């Protein structure tokens, strides 16, 4: 049952991979999550597997009753293979901790993958919403409706002075985090990025890599996240993050203009080389694919590359990951085999049919 | 007059760039030169500019009387610009020393550029012959005829015990050097090359780089040359060099087979990447172009690349050089501009018309 769901998900990228939102050529995605806990239940860290199971079943009943999730997916960690769990992590739908801390964790996801609710993670509920481009308020409004519907069925732990009570004290209050994944190649090339990151830190914005907490900056992707103390209310936090992202988008656009004025040929060279390598390479590591996709993304943004769409590049970033590749090709692969199939699948995603590309 | 000749030469590659000789996928070219001096004239090093001029005029009269050179080119260094001289050096038709030591140097070249005779180089005459592939004896036989015809008109300095007398004692005797330019990518990848070079040195074979004496090994091209003491007679030297080259060709072929057996995908990846970069790069340094052409050459040899011919790769190696590029485009170019035009011209030579490649 769970495997059938995963198979279905593998065939179809999350809806927000198709970018229609504002600034989508620079802002890959907007994400918001609420941390919620349920009255009368111990925090996950101190509850038994059995208590977790009881809570899971209760919450699943409450959540699947909501219209949005009626044709959605309910996934229990105990029913998933390692590779299926990794797949969900790669898609940002669940956290690594949810997958490997307890068998009684799980997630409920709507069929467009716009909302994913983790159950029995660090908090009883982590309600997450995703959108393409810069759409913080849109995600927030939608997530609020979901949150209200759940809150009407389950009793949240809430204190009128402190706000939502969470397992980790840093989340107490709104229990919210707003993040944007932004692509800033021009700011990296012009080295302005260093100053920007220093400034963001003073503003209490966290800066992380492409694949979340503790990951390196790759492919010039930066994940900017609000810390709890960024603003007082949810709306306040979201408008601060939105403003910051808009400012950075503006800076990136200016840097792109400067580059095209001063080093157009070098930039176009970099972009077209990436195109040529995607089209002809027979082996691609994950890191190289991310870096090449960064150059190509810049090329699409600058109008240099016209036969590749952002949607394809978004899909590429998701599907070049190990679990995605293995589930697409329905077999276990070692590193070498993944590099081979990655090089092949990238051509398919980008519709780069080179005369010789299938000779190998 | 001289400039018109150079323009004509720029438009047409040397005949031997079109490879029809044996082992042409591994042996780029066979070259032989005779060092000759004329009785009653001081060696170049101790003669005055005026004495050199007299000798040049005498020898030009003798040589242009030979059928082969009747529709050939007579080039005097004093009439050539620096860039035109560099062009001739890049084409291996004359030496750097000939160009920049004296104004009274010059060269007589047949219109197919199979024979180039330098006048007033280190020796009064350096008679050089070129062919594609491994064709030592063919070049030698042809060059012998030319040598005999010149010897019938001018009196060579010859000693019945020592042989031909030359400016540098190491050339005394046959005055001959036989060289082959070989492409050994598989032996480089498998690291067998190091042992082979050590062994060649014990056999008194000189190993040098692509562009002759004192140059680095680039693009896996090795120039193997006989030293004077390699053999006793001309035929003896040539058969030794021919055998050595055949052995190395065999080793390279075996190494290619081994690579295709053990690392086919990695090799094909390297080849197709080179293809992709040639097709899409907007800027190419000379070194990168040489290295990419090496990979592509291997690809052609292995049958991986089917739409590029050796002839095109040979032409590429000649025309990516600075003077060639500037004379093709008929203007002075700085480094950056050369990289730009090199990337463009390479696409033309290889007929790699990529959709986007002329956008820049």
């Amino acid at each position: 049952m769970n495997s059938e769901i995963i198979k279905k998900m593998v065939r179809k990228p999350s809806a927000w991979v198709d970018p229609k939102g504002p600034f989508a050529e620079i802002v890959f995605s907007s994400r918001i999550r609420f941390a919620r806990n349920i009255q009368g239940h111990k925090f996950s860290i101190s509850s038994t597997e059995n208590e977790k199971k009881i809570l899971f079943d209760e919450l699943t009943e409450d959540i699947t009753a909501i219209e949005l999730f009626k044709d959605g997916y309910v996934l229990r960690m105990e029913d998933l293979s390692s590779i299926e769990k990794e797949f969900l992590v790669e898609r940002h739908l669940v956290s690594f901790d949810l997958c490997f801390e307890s068998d009684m964790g799980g997630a409920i996801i709507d069929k467009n993958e716009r909302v994913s609710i983790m159950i029995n993670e660090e908090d009883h509920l982590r309600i997450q919403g995703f959108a393409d481009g810069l759409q913080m308020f849109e995600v927030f409004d939608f997530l609020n409706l979901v949150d209200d519907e759940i809150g009407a069925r389950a009793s949240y732990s809430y204190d009128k002075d402190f706000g939502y009570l969470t397992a980790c004290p840093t989340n107490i209050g709104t229990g919210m985090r707003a993040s944007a994944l932004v692509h800033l190649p021009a700011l990296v090339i012009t080295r302005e990025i260093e100053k920007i990151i220093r400034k963001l830190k003073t503003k209490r914005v966290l800066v992380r890599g492409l694949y979340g907490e503790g990951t390196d900056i790759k492919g010039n992707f930066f994940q900017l996240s609000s810390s709890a103390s960024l603003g007082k209310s949810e709306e306040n936090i979201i408008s601060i993050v939105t403003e910051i992202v808009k400012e950075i988008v503006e800076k990136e656009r200016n840097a792109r203009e400067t580059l095209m004025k001063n080093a157009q040929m070098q930039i176009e060279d970099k972009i077209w080389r990436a195109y040529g390598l995607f089209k002809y390479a027979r082996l691609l590591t994950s890191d190289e694919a991310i870096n090449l996709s960064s150059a190509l993304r810049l090329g699409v943004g600058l109008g240099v590359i016209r036969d590749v769409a952002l949607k394809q590049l978004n899909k590429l970033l998701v599907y070049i990951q190990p679990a995605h590749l293995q589930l697409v090709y329905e077999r276990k692969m070692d590193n070498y085999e993944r590099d081979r199939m990655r090089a092949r699948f990238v051509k398919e995603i980008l519709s780069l049919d080179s005369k010789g590309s299938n000779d190998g």
Side-chain angles (χ1 to χ4, degrees), chain A:
Chain A
M1 176 57 192
N2 269 306
S3 284
E4 287 310 306
I5 294 174
I6 299 288
K7 275 187 189 169
K8 197 171 159 187
M9 294 173 82
V10 169
R11 284 194 294 271
K12 195 171 67 105
S14 314
W16 53 273
V17 161
D18 187 7
K20 294 177 178 133
F23 313 114
E25 86 280 12
I26 292 173
V27 186
F28 183 89
S29 64
S30 299
R31 289 195 268 161
I32 290 175
R33 67 108 169 106
F34 299 152
R36 299 285 183 262
N37 289 278
I38 310 300
Q39 284 179 26
H41 291 269
K42 292 181 203 149
F43 281 139
S44 299
I45 197 163
S46 47
S47 65
T48 65
E49 288 293 278
N50 197 46
E51 287 165 336
K52 285 193 176 76
K53 185 173 161 30
I54 291 166
L55 181 62
F56 189 98
D57 291 342
E58 266 183 45
L59 286 170
T60 300
E61 206 185 314
D62 291 341
I63 295 170
T64 53
I66 299 171
E67 191 59 36
L68 178 67
F69 298 104
K70 279 190 175 155
D71 55 358
Y73 314 130
V74 178
L75 296 165
R76 289 170 183 268
M77 288 305 142
E78 61 177 343
D79 297 333
L80 295 171
S81 67
S82 298
I83 207 160
E84 290 169 335
K85 291 180 189 173
E86 279 164 33
F87 167 84
L88 295 171
V89 174
E90 289 176 358
R91 220 167 245 212
H92 291 290
L93 292 168
V94 307
S95 66
F96 186 85
D97 284 354
L98 181 79
C99 289
F100 300 100
E101 291 279 299
S102 157
D103 267 356
M104 292 303 133
I108 300 176
I109 304 166
D110 80 291
K111 73 169 197 296
N112 290 316
E113 299 173 26
R114 295 199 175 270
V115 178
S116 170
I117 300 172
M118 290 192 272
I119 303 176
N120 288 330
E121 216 250 17
E122 182 182 295
D123 295 294
H124 293 151
L125 292 173
R126 286 278 177 112
I127 306 168
Q128 312 173 91
F130 309 89
D132 48 291
L134 181 58
Q135 304 197 68
M136 290 289 171
F137 278 106
E138 289 80 352
V139 177
F140 174 70
D141 289 344
F142 190 63
L143 219 51
N144 242 343
L145 296 177
V146 174
D147 187 43
D148 288 348
E149 291 211 58
I150 300 173
R153 290 165 169 88
S155 312
Y156 287 149
S157 303
Y158 184 83
D159 180 280
K160 71 177 173 44
D161 293 322
F162 287 115
Y164 292 102
L165 302 178
T166 55
C168 177
T170 60
N171 290 319
I172 290 177
T174 63
M176 188 187 81
R177 165 162 288 174
S179 318
L181 188 59
V182 292
H183 182 235
L184 308 174
L187 291 173
V188 170
I189 295 173
T190 60
R191 288 163 180 260
E192 290 169 73
I193 193 68
E194 290 148 33
K195 211 178 94 191
I196 291 170
I197 289 178
R198 275 199 304 276
K199 205 174 153 198
L200 285 174
K201 281 179 182 162
T202 68
K203 285 188 180 170
R204 292 173 180 162
V205 173
L206 304 174
V207 181
R208 296 179 294 182
L210 181 55
Y211 296 126
E213 202 153 4
T215 62
D216 294 342
I217 301 300
K218 282 181 184 169
N220 307 310
F221 280 100
F222 297 83
Q223 191 174 301
L224 312 181
S225 305
S226 64
S227 58
S229 47
L230 185 71
K232 292 213 168 80
S233 67
E234 283 94 336
E235 287 84 352
N236 186 221
I237 293 173
I238 287 169
S239 78
I240 292 172
V241 172
T242 299
E243 279 319 302
I244 286 172
V245 172
K246 274 188 185 167
E247 259 177 51
I248 290 174
V249 166
E250 190 57 29
K251 286 199 168 95
E252 170 67 18
R253 284 180 172 170
N254 290 339
R256 290 181 184 193
E257 224 170 89
T258 306
L259 283 178
M260 285 303 267
K261 212 182 293 167
N262 302 334
Q264 181 176 352
M265 189 52 66
Q266 286 84 346
I267 296 299
E268 292 190 3
D269 181 54
K270 194 180 160 75
I271 292 166
W272 281 110
R273 280 169 181 260
Y275 186 92
L277 289 175
F278 268 145
K279 188 159 174 175
Y280 289 104
R282 294 298 194 262
L283 296 170
L284 276 176
T285 64
S286 166
D287 277 3
E288 185 181 15
I290 293 168
N291 286 327
L292 295 178
S293 91
S294 169
L296 217 53
R297 195 176 192 89
L298 177 62
V300 171
L302 292 171
V304 172
I305 301 284
R306 298 196 196 95
D307 62 348
V308 171
L310 275 187
K311 181 181 175 178
Q312 291 168 293
L313 289 173
N314 287 356
K315 185 177 173 194
L316 183 152
L317 270 185
V318 176
Y319 279 81
I320 57 169
Q321 299 175 92
H324 270 78
L325 272 182
Q326 294 176 80
L327 288 172
V328 164
Y329 288 103
E330 295 181 319
R331 58 187 162 92
K332 274 257 174 213
M333 299 180 200
D334 60 14
N335 265 329
Y336 162 76
E337 193 59 13
R338 288 207 299 268
D339 289 353
R340 198 165 81 84
M341 299 316 283
R342 184 178 292 117
R344 183 175 290 190
F345 197 51
V346 153
K347 288 169 189 53
E348 204 174 296
I349 294 173
L350 300 179
S351 314
L352 292 176
D353 247 344
S354 67
K355 188 179 20 180
S357 77
N358 295 312
D359 292 358

